[in-house]
Amino acid sequence: MLRALYTSSTGMFAQQLNIDNIAHNIANVNTTGYKKSRVEFQDLIYQMLRRPVANDTTVQPSGLWVGLGVKPSATQTIFSQGNLTPTDNPLDVAIQGQAFFRVQSPTNEEYLYTRDGSFKLDSEGNLVTTDGYYVVGVDTIDPEGYDIAIAPDGTVTYKMPGQDEPVEAGQIELAKFTNPAGLEKIGGNLYRPTASSGEAIDWDPEADTTVSLHAGYLEAANIQIVEEMVNLITAQRAYEINSKVIQSADEMLGMAANLRR
């Protein structure tokens, strides 16, 4: 009987983590470039009560096993494409396809990666993220420059007073990963490469046409509220039924404890 208590407790813990993950998804429904995640589960070890037997005298093709519960095994990030939302801001850029913007902190040489293309110009004319991370590949833009444009291949140009030809300010660097789900989430819409994600692969706009940039757009979170609400209800009911199993096991233990001769 105690086995049911412990088994159901693992189910309650697993569903609690599942609800935490769903809450995080819903909380980021308006976060630019956010990618939803889901919790994956695995069953725990099994206790063998009777081994399967097949010989000349006995045939028991299936043994007697009882499982000991469930455990969360991984949190899988889903990198499906989010909707592109028009903003009419020429510095906003959305990625169509599986790639990431390469950015760099002003105080660190480490490259980080993001899907959030809500870029801005700082006081020195650098193209930066909301948190001030430099967009790698783009040079400083002259303070007198205007009509900044970003091409589908990431080329940044702007015009100068008295000049007809636009000035090129470099090209936004994008990168791809063999296993983007292995990237480490560090907050601020940023990802850090890990051994699981593999090394960053530079995007070549001429060779890889599956990726393109769209200026004047931002990528919305790839979250469907209705789907998350259904997942929330399912997780809540699973949590509830596990708690009822614990209650039922407790009542049965109470009955056994109150048995009299």
Side-chain angles (χ1 to χ4, degrees):
M1 195 64 62
L2 290 176
R3 186 188 295 121
L5 292 173
Y6 290 114
T7 299
S8 296
S9 69
T10 66
M12 293 182 69
F13 173 77
Q15 294 306 323
Q16 178 181 333
L17 184 63
N18 192 19
I19 291 175
D20 290 341
N21 183 74
I22 295 170
H24 182 68
N25 285 340
I26 295 175
N28 283 279
V29 67
N30 289 323
T31 300
T32 301
Y34 175 79
K35 299 303 178 185
K36 65 182 178 181
S37 58
R38 72 165 185 262
V39 179
E40 298 178 349
F41 302 99
Q42 290 180 349
D43 52 352
L44 292 176
I45 61 174
Y46 287 78
Q47 183 176 0
M48 183 181 64
L49 304 181
R50 187 186 69 219
R51 184 180 298 277
V53 177
N55 53 42
D56 296 337
T57 59
T58 305
V59 176
Q60 294 177 344
S62 59
L64 184 59
W65 308 78
V66 60
L68 300 180
V70 64
K71 68 173 181 178
S73 59
T75 302
Q76 177 79 7
T77 303
I78 310 300
F79 283 93
S80 58
Q81 181 72 45
N83 294 329
L84 302 189
T85 305
T87 64
D88 295 327
N89 182 356
L91 296 183
D92 288 338
V93 190
I95 300 176
Q96 181 77 40
Q98 297 295 318
F100 298 83
F101 297 109
R102 179 177 284 145
V103 299
Q104 186 177 29
S105 169
T107 59
N108 196 327
E109 296 296 326
E110 179 186 23
Y111 286 145
L112 299 174
Y113 299 87
T114 182
R115 293 280 297 192
D116 183 359
S118 52
F119 299 142
K120 301 163 182 62
L121 290 179
D122 65 8
S123 59
E124 298 178 355
N126 298 305
L127 192 65
V128 297
T129 67
T130 301
D131 291 331
Y133 286 77
Y134 297 133
V135 179
V136 177
V138 182
D139 300 328
T140 302
I141 296 175
D142 194 289
E144 296 184 358
Y146 65 98
D147 282 352
I148 301 173
I150 301 175
D153 65 352
T155 302
V156 180
T157 58
Y158 62 94
K159 293 183 179 179
M160 289 292 294
Q163 296 183 9
D164 295 332
E165 293 295 325
V167 179
E168 186 171 320
Q171 187 176 31
I172 296 175
E173 290 188 12
L174 269 64
K176 305 179 74 174
F177 292 90
T178 303
N179 176 31
L183 291 169
E184 178 187 357
K185 299 178 181 179
I186 61 174
N189 293 349
L190 296 172
Y191 299 89
R192 177 184 288 125
T194 67
S196 297
S197 67
E199 295 291 334
I201 304 170
D202 294 337
W203 173 59
D204 183 355
E206 295 183 358
D208 186 359
T209 58
T210 63
V211 177
S212 61
L213 298 180
H214 298 269
Y217 289 83
L218 287 176
E219 182 187 13
N222 63 344
I223 296 173
Q224 299 294 332
I225 287 296
V226 174
E227 178 185 356
E228 295 300 324
M229 291 302 298
V230 171
N231 292 338
L232 178 61
I233 293 172
T234 303
Q236 182 181 2
R237 292 307 182 192
Y239 186 91
E240 180 182 0
I241 198 65
N242 275 285
S243 68
K244 288 188 178 299
V245 171
I246 291 178
Q247 183 180 357
S248 298
D250 177 60
E251 292 175 355
M252 295 174 70
L253 282 173
M255 294 177 187
N258 291 327
L259 288 176
R260 296 180 180 178
R261 292 186 178 180

